[in-house]
Amino acid sequence: MGWLLVFLAALSEFVGVIGLKKFSENKSLAMGLMYYSGFGIAFFFLYNSFKFLQVSTAYAVWIGIGTAGAVLINMVFFGESKSAGRVASLALIVVGVVGLKALS
């Protein structure tokens, strides 16, 4: 159950990241709601995951998934650089998250 909550927190964070990008371009109420609610719901799920998982591991995995997801979202949908260095760094984040999950 704890890992499901961390996963839902990460998905909600992706919504917040998209909302943040859109809100920075267009200060509309809809984009602001997407931004704030995405991150708010993410914190709700993350907080509840702490009932099942160690805070340090759940938080680190959530941050890793969120960071990797934000980079991928911005590369694919918003035209950010897809340089070899960025892709390699992204791969290292994923390896670290998988390692933390596997060892907990």
Side-chain angles (χ1 to χ4, degrees):
M1 181 67 169
W3 289 116
L4 175 63
L5 291 169
V6 171
F7 180 72
L8 292 172
L11 291 179
S12 300
E13 186 179 10
F14 298 160
V15 173
V17 166
I18 294 168
L20 176 60
K21 174 67 174 174
K22 295 290 190 179
F23 188 67
S24 71
E25 297 169 350
N26 174 19
K27 304 281 190 283
S28 69
L29 178 61
M31 294 303 107
L33 284 174
M34 184 179 187
Y35 163 44
Y36 287 113
S37 64
F39 283 114
I41 293 167
F43 281 116
F44 170 79
F45 284 129
L46 181 66
Y47 175 79
N48 283 294
S49 76
F50 297 159
K51 297 174 187 170
F52 305 96
L53 304 168
Q54 293 178 347
V55 172
S56 60
T57 303
Y59 181 75
V61 169
W62 175 69
I63 288 294
I65 293 171
T67 301
V71 170
L72 285 173
I73 287 167
N74 284 297
M75 283 179 171
V76 172
F77 297 108
F78 300 116
E80 285 192 3
S81 168
K82 298 174 183 90
S83 70
R86 286 184 64 139
V87 173
S89 297
L90 185 60
L92 289 172
I93 292 170
V94 171
V95 167
V97 168
V98 169
L100 279 173
K101 167 68 174 87
L103 297 174
S104 63

